[in-house]
Amino acid sequence: MVWNMASALILRSKLGSIISKSVREGELRDIIRQVVAESVQLWQAERSDFIVIRDLYPVSIKLPINKEQYDTYSKYDMQRTSNGSVMFQVPVYVISFDNEWQEEDYVDKEVIVVAPVIDSKVEEIILELAVEATKEKPKEDTDDSEEIDEGDP
């Protein structure tokens, strides 16, 4: 784990849209703790759970990459793949403070995502992750039109 990062990307996503984006300077561990403490103020304890999830998000970048990219990506357990790409693991922290159960699914309505600033390619991937985290899931088709009415003839 690379803790001495110079900056972290902080994204706030609500209902499938990015509503804020910022970058903070400092150690990743300290920034995460600050953002978690700030997020508690947004949490409505009577309606929602408060969850912080740390995940290693796999990022794949097509080769060739330059020396600067190599030096940066290699800090994140970079490996060459068989399809002409490199893959590495980016630590991503998702702070969920507005969520609910909908039938069998747990749905995040609003989250804050914190990840190290690596480069613009990785930022695009993390942006998409933040949007997808709060995007409304497609409802399964339940075709009620085939119900048989066994009432009056």
Side-chain angles (χ1 to χ4, degrees):
M1 173 62 61
V2 180
W3 283 112
N4 58 352
M5 295 298 298
S7 55
L9 176 66
I10 302 163
L11 303 169
R12 186 168 171 184
S13 177
K14 183 174 185 175
L15 302 174
S17 297
I18 300 295
I19 60 172
S20 72
K21 173 184 166 188
S22 63
V23 173
R24 287 197 195 169
E25 301 298 319
E27 273 195 43
L28 184 59
R29 174 187 340 210
D30 295 338
I31 294 168
I32 292 162
R33 289 179 177 159
Q34 292 167 0
V35 174
V36 167
E38 293 162 9
S39 302
V40 169
Q41 302 304 312
L42 302 169
W43 176 42
Q44 295 181 9
E46 65 282 355
R47 288 190 28 222
S48 178
D49 295 330
F50 187 90
I51 303 167
V52 180
I53 298 171
R54 178 187 157 276
D55 197 10
L56 292 174
Y57 195 75
V59 173
S60 180
I61 304 287
K62 286 278 189 201
L63 292 172
I65 59 173
N66 61 35
K67 180 178 178 356
E68 182 180 299
Q69 288 171 309
Y70 177 85
D71 291 343
T72 302
Y73 300 160
S74 63
K75 295 174 187 172
Y76 299 97
D77 192 27
M78 182 177 68
Q79 300 173 0
R80 191 177 190 136
T81 65
S82 59
N83 67 351
S85 299
V86 292
M87 181 172 279
F88 52 96
Q89 307 289 323
V90 178
V92 176
Y93 296 79
V94 178
I95 304 160
S96 175
F97 57 89
D98 185 2
N99 47 61
E100 69 182 13
W101 281 99
Q102 292 180 356
E103 297 176 18
E104 299 292 320
D105 292 330
Y106 190 76
V107 177
D108 286 311
K109 295 179 180 179
E110 188 169 2
V111 299
I112 295 175
V113 175
V114 181
V117 171
I118 298 176
D119 65 15
S120 60
K121 290 180 181 186
V122 174
E123 182 176 320
E124 287 175 29
I125 293 166
I126 302 301
L127 273 164
E128 183 62 27
L129 170 69
V131 167
E132 289 297 320
T134 60
K135 191 180 273 187
E136 188 174 339
K137 308 296 185 255
K139 299 201 184 320
E140 293 182 19
D141 283 340
T142 54
D143 191 3
D144 294 336
S145 63
E146 293 184 27
E147 284 188 16
I148 300 172
D149 185 7
E150 296 182 14
D152 296 326

